[in-house]
């Protein structure tokens, strides 16, 4: 896939760090992005900042600031809202999101100082919750473990594989292709039920950052793509 | 820590692949190991096979085959039984395990063909279950993601970090030291509650093995130990 084949990507909640980071990387790869917010003025401001960052970079395309409902009308929609707003936003946008590919990047986290402790599993995962609330959409989980701050620095390598979960194989393949378009390795991490592990890994990584006085810890899967050497 | 400071490590369920793999690596590092089984004859046979594998390797120490109750009386005890036997074995050995450091390496897995799908979260994690059943022991979770088959090949590098979980900091530090003694990087992955992610990651890795026709996929945490570079 190259960017000219890529349908528009909408980002609901696109003004947060993860939303802006993904918008910047997608824009750098030439993907048309509708960056959404509840407040169009804030979306336009974020889009303008990213456009300035992209400058006249070859092959790039500046994102467009829109409201969340417009972002949700793109064929592929990233969800990047705080977990506290997740269910409410999905309920509101469910009619618009019907029939679309929805990429849930939301991670349930506990408030500090327990940011590094996984959320008790009662609710399963944000992605499973999204699929339950959006029975007419195809929900895929991805990009949970990649540092937003590194995405926002175009020159930085996040050194992080993207574990992609979902129950629709074609939808998952499309998200893996998008992942590779922005220069990250996407791996099929199994059904949507595995999201509880992938989302929880973000809490583990945030705890590692704190304990090891580092920043932006990521994950790599080893011994994949080496021809199955022993 | 070097091996001469190391107390005996007992392995309950030591004749399975993970138990033997850990016994071999610990023995190669000179750690005294009591390799346990319900059946002493099987434990002795496994210990003899590992001893032959170690041969006269410098600094190594051959494991000793014992029954599970004897293995459980070591100061540090690894639990390496199938998850189906986990609760029953712990209930039986609880009096012996009181006061000890218990390293739970058990992973709940679904039967094939769903091996790569995480177990629904109702029970939390094997390690949390172990702590509940062993209120007088200090339970630490570790070694879930490392391939048993690679541990069993002394020359192989598992290319896998060991995520160590637990609520007792000293116990966790002791397990991280053991991990490093056998040449793997151990990382403090937070409280025991995070075990559900670390254990679940094994199911994700098994699924990746299958989908990518590879073997022994492992994980590395990136950007740790690099001085927190940006």
């Amino acid at each position: 896939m190259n960017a000219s084949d890529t349908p528009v990507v909408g980002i609901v909640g696109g003004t947060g760090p993860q939303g802006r980071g993904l918008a910047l990387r997608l824009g750098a790869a030439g993907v048309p992005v509708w960056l959404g917010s509840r407040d169009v003025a804030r979306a336009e401001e974020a889009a303008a900042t990213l456009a300035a960052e992209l400058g006249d970079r070859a092959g790039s395309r500046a994102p467009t600031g829109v409201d969340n409902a417009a972002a949700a009308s793109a064929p592929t929609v990233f969800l990047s809202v705080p977990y506290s707003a997740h269910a409410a936003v999905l309920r509101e946008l469910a009619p618009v999101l019907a029939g679309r590919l929805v990429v849930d990047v939301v991670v349930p986290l506990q408030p500090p100082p327990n940011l590094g402790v996984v959320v008790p599993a009662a609710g399963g995962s944000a992605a499973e919750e999204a699929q339950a609330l959006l029975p007419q959409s195809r929900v895929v989980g991805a990009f949970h473990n990649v540092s937003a701050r590194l995405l926002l620095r175009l020159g930085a390598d996040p050194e992080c594989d993207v574990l992609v979960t979902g129950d629709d194989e074609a939808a998952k393949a499309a998200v893996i292709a998008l992942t590779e378009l922005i220069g990250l390795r996407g791996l099929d991490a199994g059904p949507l039920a595995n999201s509880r592990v992938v989302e929880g890994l973000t809490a583990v990584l945030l705890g590692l950052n704190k304990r090891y006085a580092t920043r932006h810890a990521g994950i790599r899967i080893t011994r994949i793509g080496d021809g199955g050497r022993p």
Side-chain angles (χ1 to χ4, degrees), chain A:
Chain A
M1 180 158 80
N2 62 51
S4 62
D5 304 325
T6 308
V8 174
V9 170
I11 306 183
V12 170
T15 57
Q18 197 75 357
R20 283 184 291 121
L22 289 165
L24 181 65
R25 297 291 181 138
L26 289 164
V31 178
V33 172
W34 295 344
L35 189 158
S37 170
R38 282 173 302 180
D39 175 349
V40 183
R42 287 194 59 212
E44 286 170 346
E45 187 185 326
T49 304
L50 295 177
E53 176 83 16
L54 290 168
D56 55 3
R57 189 185 171 92
S60 72
R61 195 191 284 229
T64 308
V66 298
D67 66 15
N68 276 337
S73 71
T76 299
V77 181
F78 282 52
L79 289 177
S80 181
V81 296
Y83 182 65
S84 55
H86 187 254
V89 166
L90 292 182
R91 282 197 190 91
E92 184 188 330
L93 296 176
V96 189
L97 291 169
R100 308 194 188 284
L101 167 53
V102 174
V103 186
D104 198 333
V105 312
V106 173
V107 175
L109 290 171
Q110 303 207 55
N114 289 322
L115 205 60
V117 182
V118 300
V119 174
S125 62
E128 289 166 283
E129 190 181 356
Q131 186 65 80
L133 291 168
L134 304 171
Q136 308 297 317
S137 308
R138 293 169 300 154
V139 174
V140 167
F143 298 104
H144 306 93
N145 307 138
V146 184
S147 158
R149 300 294 168 189
L150 293 179
L151 288 176
L152 280 166
R153 256 181 269 150
L154 272 181
D157 175 2
E159 294 180 56
C160 192
D161 289 334
V162 176
L163 298 177
V164 181
T165 53
D167 295 332
D168 181 305
E169 299 304 320
K172 205 155 45 170
V175 174
I176 289 172
L178 266 178
T179 305
E180 295 187 343
L181 201 58
I182 65 172
L184 298 173
R185 181 165 76 158
L187 292 171
D188 177 352
L192 208 60
N194 286 0
S195 300
R196 60 191 71 189
V197 169
V198 182
E199 294 175 13
L201 201 48
T202 300
V204 171
L205 292 172
L206 293 172
L208 287 166
N209 280 343
K210 190 172 165 192
R211 275 186 296 282
Y212 291 91
T214 183
R215 292 189 286 183
H216 318 308
I219 59 145
R220 286 272 196 222
I221 304 297
T222 59
R223 292 178 174 260
I224 292 271
D226 59 5
R229 75 187 155 81

